[in-house]
Amino acid sequence: MQSAAQTRSSHPASGLTGLRERQLESDAGTSSINATSDSKDTGIFSSRRGNDIVNASSHHSGLLPLCKRAQPPRGYKSLIWAGDKYLTAIEAAFEGRIPGKKFALEELRNGWTRTTTAEASTHAGVETRWKAAFEGLFGQSMGYPPRSEIKSVSLNQDKAYTTIIGKDVTEPTQAYSVGLYYPTRSMMLSTSSYGVPTRIQEMHQGITKEERNKLLPTISTLSDLMWLAWNTVSTSPGELRYIGRDKVYNEETMAVMDYLFVRDNEGETRNVPWPGLEYRGNSDEGKALLATPNGRATAWLLIDFAQEMKRKSEISRREVKVHIFSFVGDYCMLWDMEPQSRRGRAG
């Protein structure tokens, strides 16, 4: 008979503690050019010295590629290891071996404001970058959907709130999550975000992780916000299949994408049109991308809400794969959670 300690260590959720903390650390400004939120704790991408790396703002202005040679960025093997853990947890979550989360939409009232409008320029820019992807996925006849079918949701933590331990906080964090949602295509695109944990640490310099965590509102991670936003616009939330990130700015994610573009696309990074590069989730490349700050939100959405997705649809399993592409220097990422039959094997 196994001891309690052995039972805990063999449970699929037992290896998620460190990854859960990394989720909080990496929920920083994934739209921020200077976001390198994991570097302090993991040593990943903490240094950007030498001739092979240049400033990310120059990269996105089209002046220079971020990586000049097809060498794995620092910490790449660690990302593959973490991505493998995420995939294992995703499969376990869909099989019901990891307890998930369940939120009521009313919980957004705890400090969050929801708006449902977006600037015309936002719609135009996203359509320009993603039109080919929509045509490739759904056919040219369907193409990019009309604005009437697109739902914009912005969630802003701009009001007083009650923390997870019941403490009332009067100063909001001003964290946010903004996205475009396509219910008729089972797709969501995150366009910009800035995480609650990072905002709390910026507001309270020198605060410890334990002190920070006590100041978190009941809803505080990007994956929670994305799932709740999706539930406000979709009548069939369990049918969600595609999760995209428009205009990746996070340096850690960009470094991995640059490496793959240089290695697998003959050095071209600025224009890698759809379908770009496609990797199965269980490949080393897919695992590394899943473990980046821009990939983790997808991983946690699947881990935490797998049972909700199953309850609201007939889908029993998902096979994960990812596309990365670039449009005039703007990097984009799309995760495809292809439905599988009950006998299917998740990727």
Side-chain angles (χ1 to χ4, degrees), residues 121-161:
S121 58
T122 299
H123 280 287
V126 171
E127 180 176 359
T128 298
R129 288 183 291 276
W130 287 84
K131 182 179 180 181
F134 275 82
E135 291 177 349
L137 292 169
F138 307 107
Q140 289 192 347
S141 59
M142 293 184 67
Y144 194 81
R147 299 254 176 108
S148 60
E149 295 182 13
I150 305 171
K151 310 298 181 183
S152 172
V153 180
S154 176
L155 298 172
N156 299 277
Q157 208 290 295
D158 57 1
K159 297 185 294 186
Y161 64 94

Side-chain angles (χ1 to χ4, degrees), residues 54 98 150 173 190 197 205 233 237 245 265-266 277 292 313 338-339:
V54 298
I98 292 180
I150 305 171
T173 66
S190 176
Q205 295 292 322
V233 301
R245 178 71 201 196
N265 199 62
E266 299 181 349
L277 302 177
T292 63
S313 75
E338 184 178 0

